[in-house]
Amino acid sequence: MVGNVLGNRYEILEKIGDGGMAFVYKAKCRILNRTVALKVLRPEFVDDEEFVLKFKNEALASASLAHPNIVNIYDVGQEDRTHYIVMEYIDGLNLKDLIKKEGPLDPFYALNITKQIAMALSQAHKNGIIHRDIKPHNILISKDGLAKVADFGIAKATTSTTITAMGSVIGSVHYFSPEQARGGYVDKSSDLYSLGIVLYEMLTGKVPFKGDTPVNIALKHINEEIIFSQEFEGKISKEIKMLVCKLTQKNQINRYQNAEELIRDIEYIENDIEPDFEEDYEYYATQKLDTLNEEIKKQISKDYKEEGAKVDMRNKKKKSNKRILTILAVFVALILSLGLTFAAYMVKDLFITKQYEMPNLENSTIDEARKRLETIGVKVQIRRELYDDSVEKDHIITQIPKEGSKIKKGQVVKVDVSKGGEPVVVPNLVRENLEEADNILEKNNLKEGIIEYEFSSLPEGTVISQKPKAFTEVEEGTGIDLVVSKGEEVKLIKVPNLIGKTIEDARTDLVGFTIGSISYKEDKTKKEGVILEQSLRAGQHVEEGTKIDLTVNEYKEEPEEESPKVVKKQISIALPEDEEIVNVLVKEIGNNSSKTIYNKEINIKEKGNIVSVPIEGTGEKEYEIYVDDALYGTTSVDFE
Ligand code: ATP
Ligand code: MG
């Protein structure tokens, strides 16, 4: 295949992968001169109409989606028996290989990838497309860290029939939702389940369910709880575990209902806000304790049901007593190991006297909610105040527990209250200069808060930090407090007295100063080598690094004998009369060197042909005369 050209346009360069249905090649589009990925249906499926259809479906499904987190489809083609899809080439790795290479990913990196996939799913779901095959092989991570979802291979428009018979399910069973495994009704939340499994794998490096056969694995998705083993205790936060739990609920209605809800919770976790999880998910986070807890609950409810059925009372009693004994034994163990608080909580739960049903508080005001619940002795606590333009200010957005749950006297219910609409996302101002920061604030309908100045290595006037932090939501008009750099810290140092000291001593005293020029003067009344003057007055304070000039006492040497007197003379040169302009150069020749002492253009026409060159010196000297670079003559002059 490599070297072939498909559709007279796509030159196949190399194979980059193979999957169950197709081979993937890197190719070059000759017309647009760009690299593309080419997915070619495996030859063994060319005659299988269902496969060909699914293959084409993939192209159709994702071609209608344009999103930075979805692999772009460019073209679909067929040449003889070769069916192919042309798509955006992602230079990077697929998520499966990334996990294989790196092992468990950093939880926040894993959340970020999950968020990007959720954004792709949000776009697809809004267009009525369910992916149905979310798995790490189908997530490509580009070199700049962008996650792109590929292979809407078995995607189907949600509007058409959504029942898939078990037999014709294609995809990877490790990531299957229970409903996919059962061949049940598949919806948006099925993709979110698979995404939950992908997140689990990113966090732990492993898939949650393994088995010998696909059926085996599928059954585990239907029946078994996903658990994080003890080795991840403390490494993965409770909130992230709860998020995985909510994504992978067996029952579709208990999961996130859409990708946006998931994105919102990821953002909460990223910003250190606890998402609005049902308390049930708490069991997940503290799994060791709660597996026992669940066991007890199951036992109890089983007993109650059996009792309710009133079958063979005598037999029942025996059985029941036995069970209660077991439960009590577990209780004793729990009391011993976990202390009385937990036990008291459990016991309280067992002997509830009066229960009420939790009303719907959503969209009522916090005052109304309080009035309603306080009459039955239930307290309402505000958990968070959030911006939400779909809920009026001071009205309740969400409640815990849900409507219809059992509540009792003395209980506290929690609510999130709306602060009204029009939140503004705080822009990042750090590293902007204050003027630009003000412009940005104005554009975002925000204003400057308290400004503080601090020394910093950042240039003066640059924002060092801001509060609230970037990307949090605040009300319009909120003041953003800024800490602004006032440049590097300036240290003042005291000028020492250096007069009378030697230059060596002065150097040790001058730590923090820059020594400028050192000049010399003679003062026979003082010792030679001592400092006579300093350019900065002693005792004053100056900035660190200031320059200081010094004058040092130096006795002048008496001239031993008079040097020979310099005599001035001149050389007269007669230039050729027939020339117009010539260059005259005269060199004084020393022992091993020569120096040019004259170099001029001479206009013979105007100035005449005789040139006088001034010279000076002592003793005897040799001169070379050049006219237009050619040696014209030499002469020796005696200065005696
Ligand atoms: P399945 O057949 O079940 O979908 P798969 O996803 O591994 O399994 P393919 O979709 O055929 O199989 O893809 C094979 C591999 O080719 C991918 O895992 C990925 O590494 C690589 N690949 C696919 N599409 C691209 C692309 N657009 N750019 C770069 N690499 C790609
Ligand atoms: Mg694939």
PDB file of all heavy atoms in Angstrom, residues 16-24 37-39 58 71 87-94 97 133 135-138 140 150-151 170-172, ligand 1:
ATOM      1  N   ILE A  16       0.455   3.861  10.093  1.00  0.00           N
ATOM      2  CA  ILE A  16       0.586   4.361  11.463  1.00  0.00           C
ATOM      3  C   ILE A  16      -0.281   3.602  12.465  1.00  0.00           C
ATOM      4  O   ILE A  16      -0.178   3.832  13.647  1.00  0.00           O
ATOM      5  CB  ILE A  16       0.296   5.886  11.567  1.00  0.00           C
ATOM      6  CG1 ILE A  16      -0.995   6.257  10.849  1.00  0.00           C
ATOM      7  CG2 ILE A  16       1.471   6.694  11.067  1.00  0.00           C
ATOM      8  CD1 ILE A  16      -1.343   7.718  10.981  1.00  0.00           C
ATOM      9  N   GLY A  17      -1.109   2.705  11.964  1.00  0.00           N
ATOM     10  CA  GLY A  17      -1.897   1.951  12.940  1.00  0.00           C
ATOM     11  C   GLY A  17      -2.828   0.977  12.249  1.00  0.00           C
ATOM     12  O   GLY A  17      -3.076   1.079  11.040  1.00  0.00           O
ATOM     13  N   ASP A  18      -3.300  -0.009  13.026  1.00  0.00           N
ATOM     14  CA  ASP A  18      -4.376  -0.827  12.476  1.00  0.00           C
ATOM     15  C   ASP A  18      -5.366  -1.158  13.556  1.00  0.00           C
ATOM     16  O   ASP A  18      -5.015  -1.328  14.723  1.00  0.00           O
ATOM     17  CB  ASP A  18      -3.857  -2.079  11.769  1.00  0.00           C
ATOM     18  CG  ASP A  18      -2.797  -2.801  12.579  1.00  0.00           C
ATOM     19  OD1 ASP A  18      -2.749  -2.577  13.797  1.00  0.00           O
ATOM     20  OD2 ASP A  18      -2.037  -3.578  11.989  1.00  0.00           O
ATOM     21  N   GLY A  19      -6.598  -1.176  13.172  1.00  0.00           N
ATOM     22  CA  GLY A  19      -7.668  -1.467  14.122  1.00  0.00           C
ATOM     23  C   GLY A  19      -8.453  -2.649  13.609  1.00  0.00           C
ATOM     24  O   GLY A  19      -8.043  -3.335  12.667  1.00  0.00           O
ATOM     25  N   GLY A  20      -9.571  -2.915  14.243  1.00  0.00           N
ATOM     26  CA  GLY A  20     -10.368  -4.074  13.887  1.00  0.00           C
ATOM     27  C   GLY A  20     -10.944  -3.997  12.480  1.00  0.00           C
ATOM     28  O   GLY A  20     -11.164  -5.015  11.827  1.00  0.00           O
ATOM     29  N   MET A  21     -11.160  -2.784  12.023  1.00  0.00           N
ATOM     30  CA  MET A  21     -11.911  -2.615  10.787  1.00  0.00           C
ATOM     31  C   MET A  21     -11.040  -2.098   9.661  1.00  0.00           C
ATOM     32  O   MET A  21     -11.337  -2.304   8.498  1.00  0.00           O
ATOM     33  CB  MET A  21     -13.007  -1.584  11.091  1.00  0.00           C
ATOM     34  CG  MET A  21     -14.150  -1.620  10.165  1.00  0.00           C
ATOM     35  SD  MET A  21     -15.618  -0.869  10.913  1.00  0.00           S
ATOM     36  CE  MET A  21     -15.162   0.774  11.243  1.00  0.00           C
ATOM     37  N   ALA A  22      -9.956  -1.433  10.029  1.00  0.00           N
ATOM     38  CA  ALA A  22      -9.217  -0.711   9.004  1.00  0.00           C
ATOM     39  C   ALA A  22      -7.731  -0.590   9.330  1.00  0.00           C
ATOM     40  O   ALA A  22      -7.302  -0.863  10.445  1.00  0.00           O
ATOM     41  CB  ALA A  22      -9.816   0.684   8.879  1.00  0.00           C
ATOM     42  N   PHE A  23      -7.005  -0.180   8.298  1.00  0.00           N
ATOM     43  CA  PHE A  23      -5.607   0.215   8.480  1.00  0.00           C
ATOM     44  C   PHE A  23      -5.559   1.733   8.401  1.00  0.00           C
ATOM     45  O   PHE A  23      -6.344   2.336   7.676  1.00  0.00           O
ATOM     46  CB  PHE A  23      -4.731  -0.343   7.357  1.00  0.00           C
ATOM     47  CG  PHE A  23      -4.670  -1.843   7.343  1.00  0.00           C
ATOM     48  CD1 PHE A  23      -5.178  -2.558   6.266  1.00  0.00           C
ATOM     49  CD2 PHE A  23      -4.093  -2.524   8.401  1.00  0.00           C
ATOM     50  CE1 PHE A  23      -5.117  -3.945   6.251  1.00  0.00           C
ATOM     51  CE2 PHE A  23      -4.036  -3.913   8.390  1.00  0.00           C
ATOM     52  CZ  PHE A  23      -4.551  -4.634   7.315  1.00  0.00           C
ATOM     53  N   VAL A  24      -4.611   2.308   9.146  1.00  0.00           N
ATOM     54  CA  VAL A  24      -4.490   3.770   9.086  1.00  0.00           C
ATOM     55  C   VAL A  24      -3.097   4.133   8.555  1.00  0.00           C
ATOM     56  O   VAL A  24      -2.100   3.560   8.987  1.00  0.00           O
ATOM     57  CB  VAL A  24      -4.732   4.411  10.471  1.00  0.00           C
ATOM     58  CG1 VAL A  24      -4.612   5.928  10.396  1.00  0.00           C
ATOM     59  CG2 VAL A  24      -6.108   4.027  11.006  1.00  0.00           C
ATOM     60  N   ALA A  37      -4.372  11.805   7.381  1.00  0.00           N
ATOM     61  CA  ALA A  37      -4.425  10.397   7.789  1.00  0.00           C
ATOM     62  C   ALA A  37      -5.456   9.724   6.894  1.00  0.00           C
ATOM     63  O   ALA A  37      -6.506  10.297   6.607  1.00  0.00           O
ATOM     64  CB  ALA A  37      -4.810  10.274   9.246  1.00  0.00           C
ATOM     65  N   LEU A  38      -5.120   8.546   6.455  1.00  0.00           N
ATOM     66  CA  LEU A  38      -5.995   7.837   5.530  1.00  0.00           C
ATOM     67  C   LEU A  38      -6.405   6.531   6.186  1.00  0.00           C
ATOM     68  O   LEU A  38      -5.549   5.746   6.594  1.00  0.00           O
ATOM     69  CB  LEU A  38      -5.185   7.533   4.268  1.00  0.00           C
ATOM     70  CG  LEU A  38      -5.919   7.563   2.968  1.00  0.00           C
ATOM     71  CD1 LEU A  38      -6.287   9.000   2.638  1.00  0.00           C
ATOM     72  CD2 LEU A  38      -5.002   7.038   1.874  1.00  0.00           C
ATOM     73  N   LYS A  39      -7.696   6.323   6.305  1.00  0.00           N
ATOM     74  CA  LYS A  39      -8.162   5.092   6.932  1.00  0.00           C
ATOM     75  C   LYS A  39      -8.725   4.204   5.842  1.00  0.00           C
ATOM     76  O   LYS A  39      -9.646   4.609   5.129  1.00  0.00           O
ATOM     77  CB  LYS A  39      -9.233   5.454   7.955  1.00  0.00           C
ATOM     78  CG  LYS A  39      -9.568   4.333   8.847  1.00  0.00           C
ATOM     79  CD  LYS A  39     -10.314   4.847  10.048  1.00  0.00           C
ATOM     80  CE  LYS A  39     -10.437   3.742  11.047  1.00  0.00           C
ATOM     81  NZ  LYS A  39     -11.032   4.192  12.274  1.00  0.00           N
ATOM     82  N   GLU A  58     -19.146   6.182   9.603  1.00  0.00           N
ATOM     83  CA  GLU A  58     -18.172   6.864  10.433  1.00  0.00           C
ATOM     84  C   GLU A  58     -17.854   8.226   9.823  1.00  0.00           C
ATOM     85  O   GLU A  58     -17.862   9.250  10.489  1.00  0.00           O
ATOM     86  CB  GLU A  58     -16.894   6.035  10.532  1.00  0.00           C
ATOM     87  CG  GLU A  58     -15.748   6.855  11.089  1.00  0.00           C
ATOM     88  CD  GLU A  58     -14.498   6.045  11.357  1.00  0.00           C
ATOM     89  OE1 GLU A  58     -14.529   4.832  11.148  1.00  0.00           O
ATOM     90  OE2 GLU A  58     -13.513   6.651  11.788  1.00  0.00           O
ATOM     91  N   VAL A  71     -11.612  14.734  15.597  1.00  0.00           N
ATOM     92  CA  VAL A  71     -10.766  14.590  14.407  1.00  0.00           C
ATOM     93  C   VAL A  71     -11.610  14.947  13.172  1.00  0.00           C
ATOM     94  O   VAL A  71     -12.672  14.373  12.941  1.00  0.00           O
ATOM     95  CB  VAL A  71     -10.212  13.147  14.291  1.00  0.00           C
ATOM     96  CG1 VAL A  71      -9.454  12.975  12.987  1.00  0.00           C
ATOM     97  CG2 VAL A  71      -9.333  12.819  15.482  1.00  0.00           C
ATOM     98  N   MET A  87      -8.742  11.995   6.681  1.00  0.00           N
ATOM     99  CA  MET A  87      -9.002  12.841   7.849  1.00  0.00           C
ATOM    100  C   MET A  87      -7.758  13.590   8.295  1.00  0.00           C
ATOM    101  O   MET A  87      -6.660  13.346   7.817  1.00  0.00           O
ATOM    102  CB  MET A  87      -9.565  12.016   8.993  1.00  0.00           C
ATOM    103  CG  MET A  87      -8.670  10.879   9.387  1.00  0.00           C
ATOM    104  SD  MET A  87      -9.479   9.876  10.621  1.00  0.00           S
ATOM    105  CE  MET A  87      -8.635   8.347  10.420  1.00  0.00           C
ATOM    106  N   GLU A  88      -8.011  14.488   9.219  1.00  0.00           N
ATOM    107  CA  GLU A  88      -6.951  15.285   9.826  1.00  0.00           C
ATOM    108  C   GLU A  88      -5.894  14.344  10.415  1.00  0.00           C
ATOM    109  O   GLU A  88      -6.232  13.374  11.086  1.00  0.00           O
ATOM    110  CB  GLU A  88      -7.618  16.092  10.958  1.00  0.00           C
ATOM    111  CG  GLU A  88      -6.751  16.964  11.770  1.00  0.00           C
ATOM    112  CD  GLU A  88      -7.561  17.598  12.926  1.00  0.00           C
ATOM    113  OE1 GLU A  88      -8.760  17.292  13.093  1.00  0.00           O
ATOM    114  OE2 GLU A  88      -6.979  18.402  13.643  1.00  0.00           O
ATOM    115  N   TYR A  89      -4.621  14.621  10.150  1.00  0.00           N
ATOM    116  CA  TYR A  89      -3.553  13.807  10.711  1.00  0.00           C
ATOM    117  C   TYR A  89      -3.155  14.388  12.060  1.00  0.00           C
ATOM    118  O   TYR A  89      -2.876  15.582  12.169  1.00  0.00           O
ATOM    119  CB  TYR A  89      -2.350  13.788   9.772  1.00  0.00           C
ATOM    120  CG  TYR A  89      -1.127  13.188  10.399  1.00  0.00           C
ATOM    121  CD1 TYR A  89      -1.058  11.821  10.655  1.00  0.00           C
ATOM    122  CD2 TYR A  89      -0.027  13.985  10.755  1.00  0.00           C
ATOM    123  CE1 TYR A  89       0.051  11.264  11.259  1.00  0.00           C
ATOM    124  CE2 TYR A  89       1.090  13.434  11.358  1.00  0.00           C
ATOM    125  CZ  TYR A  89       1.125  12.071  11.607  1.00  0.00           C
ATOM    126  OH  TYR A  89       2.228  11.534  12.214  1.00  0.00           O
ATOM    127  N   ILE A  90      -3.163  13.553  13.083  1.00  0.00           N
ATOM    128  CA  ILE A  90      -2.786  14.041  14.413  1.00  0.00           C
ATOM    129  C   ILE A  90      -1.381  13.535  14.729  1.00  0.00           C
ATOM    130  O   ILE A  90      -1.155  12.330  14.857  1.00  0.00           O
ATOM    131  CB  ILE A  90      -3.753  13.537  15.508  1.00  0.00           C
ATOM    132  CG1 ILE A  90      -5.215  13.740  15.090  1.00  0.00           C
ATOM    133  CG2 ILE A  90      -3.450  14.192  16.850  1.00  0.00           C
ATOM    134  CD1 ILE A  90      -5.612  15.166  14.858  1.00  0.00           C
ATOM    135  N   ASP A  91      -0.473  14.487  14.837  1.00  0.00           N
ATOM    136  CA  ASP A  91       0.896  14.128  15.146  1.00  0.00           C
ATOM    137  C   ASP A  91       0.985  13.955  16.659  1.00  0.00           C
ATOM    138  O   ASP A  91       0.935  14.919  17.402  1.00  0.00           O
ATOM    139  CB  ASP A  91       1.820  15.255  14.675  1.00  0.00           C
ATOM    140  CG  ASP A  91       3.268  14.855  14.762  1.00  0.00           C
ATOM    141  OD1 ASP A  91       3.531  13.655  14.985  1.00  0.00           O
ATOM    142  OD2 ASP A  91       4.137  15.736  14.611  1.00  0.00           O
ATOM    143  N   GLY A  92       1.037  12.712  17.086  1.00  0.00           N
ATOM    144  CA  GLY A  92       1.067  12.479  18.539  1.00  0.00           C
ATOM    145  C   GLY A  92       0.905  11.007  18.841  1.00  0.00           C
ATOM    146  O   GLY A  92       1.446  10.164  18.132  1.00  0.00           O
ATOM    147  N   LEU A  93       0.125  10.734  19.864  1.00  0.00           N
ATOM    148  CA  LEU A  93      -0.040   9.358  20.338  1.00  0.00           C
ATOM    149  C   LEU A  93      -1.516   9.111  20.585  1.00  0.00           C
ATOM    150  O   LEU A  93      -2.249  10.046  20.855  1.00  0.00           O
ATOM    151  CB  LEU A  93       0.603   9.225  21.711  1.00  0.00           C
ATOM    152  CG  LEU A  93       2.080   8.959  21.882  1.00  0.00           C
ATOM    153  CD1 LEU A  93       2.385   8.869  23.368  1.00  0.00           C
ATOM    154  CD2 LEU A  93       2.450   7.651  21.214  1.00  0.00           C
ATOM    155  N   ASN A  94      -1.940   7.834  20.516  1.00  0.00           N
ATOM    156  CA  ASN A  94      -3.294   7.616  21.007  1.00  0.00           C
ATOM    157  C   ASN A  94      -3.226   7.411  22.520  1.00  0.00           C
ATOM    158  O   ASN A  94      -2.169   7.091  23.068  1.00  0.00           O
ATOM    159  CB  ASN A  94      -4.017   6.498  20.253  1.00  0.00           C
ATOM    160  CG  ASN A  94      -3.509   5.129  20.573  1.00  0.00           C
ATOM    161  OD1 ASN A  94      -3.329   4.773  21.733  1.00  0.00           O
ATOM    162  ND2 ASN A  94      -3.251   4.345  19.540  1.00  0.00           N
ATOM    163  N   ASP A  97      -1.687   4.244  24.043  1.00  0.00           N
ATOM    164  CA  ASP A  97      -0.220   4.180  24.036  1.00  0.00           C
ATOM    165  C   ASP A  97       0.369   5.120  25.075  1.00  0.00           C
ATOM    166  O   ASP A  97       1.381   4.806  25.698  1.00  0.00           O
ATOM    167  CB  ASP A  97       0.326   4.524  22.643  1.00  0.00           C
ATOM    168  CG  ASP A  97      -0.036   3.442  21.638  1.00  0.00           C
ATOM    169  OD1 ASP A  97      -0.347   2.322  22.092  1.00  0.00           O
ATOM    170  OD2 ASP A  97      -0.038   3.707  20.422  1.00  0.00           O
ATOM    171  N   ASP A 133     -18.273   4.252  20.947  1.00  0.00           N
ATOM    172  CA  ASP A 133     -17.024   3.494  20.994  1.00  0.00           C
ATOM    173  C   ASP A 133     -15.927   4.344  21.624  1.00  0.00           C
ATOM    174  O   ASP A 133     -14.815   4.420  21.126  1.00  0.00           O
ATOM    175  CB  ASP A 133     -16.637   3.066  19.570  1.00  0.00           C
ATOM    176  CG  ASP A 133     -15.569   1.979  19.581  1.00  0.00           C
ATOM    177  OD1 ASP A 133     -15.370   1.350  20.638  1.00  0.00           O
ATOM    178  OD2 ASP A 133     -14.943   1.772  18.527  1.00  0.00           O
ATOM    179  N   LYS A 135     -13.067   4.930  23.709  1.00  0.00           N
ATOM    180  CA  LYS A 135     -12.005   4.127  24.339  1.00  0.00           C
ATOM    181  C   LYS A 135     -10.682   4.827  24.043  1.00  0.00           C
ATOM    182  O   LYS A 135     -10.610   5.640  23.115  1.00  0.00           O
ATOM    183  CB  LYS A 135     -12.008   2.706  23.777  1.00  0.00           C
ATOM    184  CG  LYS A 135     -11.848   2.642  22.263  1.00  0.00           C
ATOM    185  CD  LYS A 135     -11.827   1.216  21.784  1.00  0.00           C
ATOM    186  CE  LYS A 135     -11.729   1.156  20.265  1.00  0.00           C
ATOM    187  NZ  LYS A 135     -11.693  -0.195  19.752  1.00  0.00           N
ATOM    188  N   PRO A 136      -9.651   4.525  24.815  1.00  0.00           N
ATOM    189  CA  PRO A 136      -8.396   5.280  24.659  1.00  0.00           C
ATOM    190  C   PRO A 136      -7.781   5.198  23.257  1.00  0.00           C
ATOM    191  O   PRO A 136      -7.128   6.130  22.827  1.00  0.00           O
ATOM    192  CB  PRO A 136      -7.462   4.648  25.690  1.00  0.00           C
ATOM    193  CG  PRO A 136      -8.359   4.027  26.676  1.00  0.00           C
ATOM    194  CD  PRO A 136      -9.578   3.593  25.944  1.00  0.00           C
ATOM    195  N   HIS A 137      -8.021   4.093  22.521  1.00  0.00           N
ATOM    196  CA  HIS A 137      -7.455   3.989  21.163  1.00  0.00           C
ATOM    197  C   HIS A 137      -8.061   5.042  20.255  1.00  0.00           C
ATOM    198  O   HIS A 137      -7.488   5.399  19.237  1.00  0.00           O
ATOM    199  CB  HIS A 137      -7.760   2.649  20.514  1.00  0.00           C
ATOM    200  CG  HIS A 137      -7.664   1.489  21.441  1.00  0.00           C
ATOM    201  ND1 HIS A 137      -8.564   1.269  22.459  1.00  0.00           N
ATOM    202  CD2 HIS A 137      -6.768   0.503  21.510  1.00  0.00           C
ATOM    203  CE1 HIS A 137      -8.228   0.174  23.108  1.00  0.00           C
ATOM    204  NE2 HIS A 137      -7.132  -0.302  22.561  1.00  0.00           N
ATOM    205  N   ASN A 138      -9.256   5.469  20.600  1.00  0.00           N
ATOM    206  CA  ASN A 138      -9.952   6.427  19.737  1.00  0.00           C
ATOM    207  C   ASN A 138      -9.768   7.865  20.192  1.00  0.00           C
ATOM    208  O   ASN A 138     -10.409   8.763  19.681  1.00  0.00           O
ATOM    209  CB  ASN A 138     -11.441   6.081  19.668  1.00  0.00           C
ATOM    210  CG  ASN A 138     -11.680   4.889  18.768  1.00  0.00           C
ATOM    211  OD1 ASN A 138     -10.840   4.583  17.925  1.00  0.00           O
ATOM    212  ND2 ASN A 138     -12.787   4.210  18.954  1.00  0.00           N
ATOM    213  N   LEU A 140      -6.952  10.665  20.364  1.00  0.00           N
ATOM    214  CA  LEU A 140      -5.592  10.976  19.926  1.00  0.00           C
ATOM    215  C   LEU A 140      -5.126  12.219  20.672  1.00  0.00           C
ATOM    216  O   LEU A 140      -5.867  13.184  20.804  1.00  0.00           O
ATOM    217  CB  LEU A 140      -5.575  11.211  18.414  1.00  0.00           C
ATOM    218  CG  LEU A 140      -6.105  10.013  17.610  1.00  0.00           C
ATOM    219  CD1 LEU A 140      -6.252  10.371  16.150  1.00  0.00           C
ATOM    220  CD2 LEU A 140      -5.202   8.814  17.780  1.00  0.00           C
ATOM    221  N   ALA A 150     -11.596  10.396  17.785  1.00  0.00           N
ATOM    222  CA  ALA A 150     -11.686   9.880  16.425  1.00  0.00           C
ATOM    223  C   ALA A 150     -12.733   8.786  16.392  1.00  0.00           C
ATOM    224  O   ALA A 150     -13.267   8.397  17.434  1.00  0.00           O
ATOM    225  CB  ALA A 150     -10.339   9.313  16.014  1.00  0.00           C
ATOM    226  N   ASP A 151     -13.020   8.319  15.165  1.00  0.00           N
ATOM    227  CA  ASP A 151     -13.793   7.091  15.021  1.00  0.00           C
ATOM    228  C   ASP A 151     -15.211   7.128  15.521  1.00  0.00           C
ATOM    229  O   ASP A 151     -15.574   6.390  16.435  1.00  0.00           O
ATOM    230  CB  ASP A 151     -13.112   5.969  15.817  1.00  0.00           C
ATOM    231  CG  ASP A 151     -12.160   5.222  14.949  1.00  0.00           C
ATOM    232  OD1 ASP A 151     -11.889   5.724  13.858  1.00  0.00           O
ATOM    233  OD2 ASP A 151     -11.717   4.161  15.374  1.00  0.00           O
ATOM    234  N   ILE A 170     -20.355  -3.786  18.007  1.00  0.00           N
ATOM    235  CA  ILE A 170     -18.929  -3.737  17.683  1.00  0.00           C
ATOM    236  C   ILE A 170     -18.293  -2.714  18.603  1.00  0.00           C
ATOM    237  O   ILE A 170     -18.876  -1.690  18.885  1.00  0.00           O
ATOM    238  CB  ILE A 170     -18.722  -3.307  16.220  1.00  0.00           C
ATOM    239  CG1 ILE A 170     -19.423  -4.300  15.305  1.00  0.00           C
ATOM    240  CG2 ILE A 170     -17.242  -3.213  15.883  1.00  0.00           C
ATOM    241  CD1 ILE A 170     -19.466  -3.863  13.878  1.00  0.00           C
ATOM    242  N   GLY A 171     -17.114  -2.969  19.027  1.00  0.00           N
ATOM    243  CA  GLY A 171     -16.435  -1.999  19.880  1.00  0.00           C
ATOM    244  C   GLY A 171     -15.631  -2.722  20.918  1.00  0.00           C
ATOM    245  O   GLY A 171     -15.400  -3.917  20.812  1.00  0.00           O
ATOM    246  N   SER A 172     -15.214  -2.028  21.923  1.00  0.00           N
ATOM    247  CA  SER A 172     -14.358  -2.647  22.910  1.00  0.00           C
ATOM    248  C   SER A 172     -15.091  -2.865  24.205  1.00  0.00           C
ATOM    249  O   SER A 172     -15.527  -1.933  24.848  1.00  0.00           O
ATOM    250  CB  SER A 172     -13.132  -1.782  23.148  1.00  0.00           C
ATOM    251  OG  SER A 172     -12.072  -2.391  22.488  1.00  0.00           O
TER     252      SER A 172
HETATM  253  P1  ATP B   1     -11.053   0.026  16.342  1.00  0.00           P
HETATM  254  O1  ATP B   1     -10.875  -0.637  15.053  1.00  0.00           O
HETATM  255  O2  ATP B   1     -11.738  -0.776  17.329  1.00  0.00           O
HETATM  256  O3  ATP B   1     -11.592   1.414  16.179  1.00  0.00           O
HETATM  257  P2  ATP B   1      -8.581   1.386  16.772  1.00  0.00           P
HETATM  258  O4  ATP B   1      -9.221   2.653  17.158  1.00  0.00           O
HETATM  259  O5  ATP B   1      -7.303   1.041  17.454  1.00  0.00           O
HETATM  260  O6  ATP B   1      -9.559   0.206  16.963  1.00  0.00           O
HETATM  261  P3  ATP B   1      -8.328   2.513  14.128  1.00  0.00           P
HETATM  262  O7  ATP B   1      -9.414   3.445  14.363  1.00  0.00           O
HETATM  263  O8  ATP B   1      -8.292   1.815  12.839  1.00  0.00           O
HETATM  264  O9  ATP B   1      -8.315   1.371  15.207  1.00  0.00           O
HETATM  265  O10 ATP B   1      -6.977   3.286  14.342  1.00  0.00           O
HETATM  266  C1  ATP B   1      -5.733   2.639  14.493  1.00  0.00           C
HETATM  267  C2  ATP B   1      -4.707   3.573  15.091  1.00  0.00           C
HETATM  268  O11 ATP B   1      -4.295   4.526  14.100  1.00  0.00           O
HETATM  269  C3  ATP B   1      -5.233   4.417  16.227  1.00  0.00           C
HETATM  270  O12 ATP B   1      -5.170   3.748  17.449  1.00  0.00           O
HETATM  271  C4  ATP B   1      -4.316   5.623  16.177  1.00  0.00           C
HETATM  272  O13 ATP B   1      -3.138   5.390  16.899  1.00  0.00           O
HETATM  273  C5  ATP B   1      -3.995   5.753  14.701  1.00  0.00           C
HETATM  274  N1  ATP B   1      -4.816   6.815  14.092  1.00  0.00           N
HETATM  275  C6  ATP B   1      -6.119   6.750  13.748  1.00  0.00           C
HETATM  276  N2  ATP B   1      -6.555   7.913  13.207  1.00  0.00           N
HETATM  277  C7  ATP B   1      -5.498   8.768  13.206  1.00  0.00           C
HETATM  278  C8  ATP B   1      -5.311  10.147  12.788  1.00  0.00           C
HETATM  279  N3  ATP B   1      -6.316  10.860  12.261  1.00  0.00           N
HETATM  280  N4  ATP B   1      -4.098  10.702  12.950  1.00  0.00           N
HETATM  281  C9  ATP B   1      -3.094   9.965  13.497  1.00  0.00           C
HETATM  282  N5  ATP B   1      -3.209   8.686  13.913  1.00  0.00           N
HETATM  283  C10 ATP B   1      -4.391   8.067  13.772  1.00  0.00           C
END
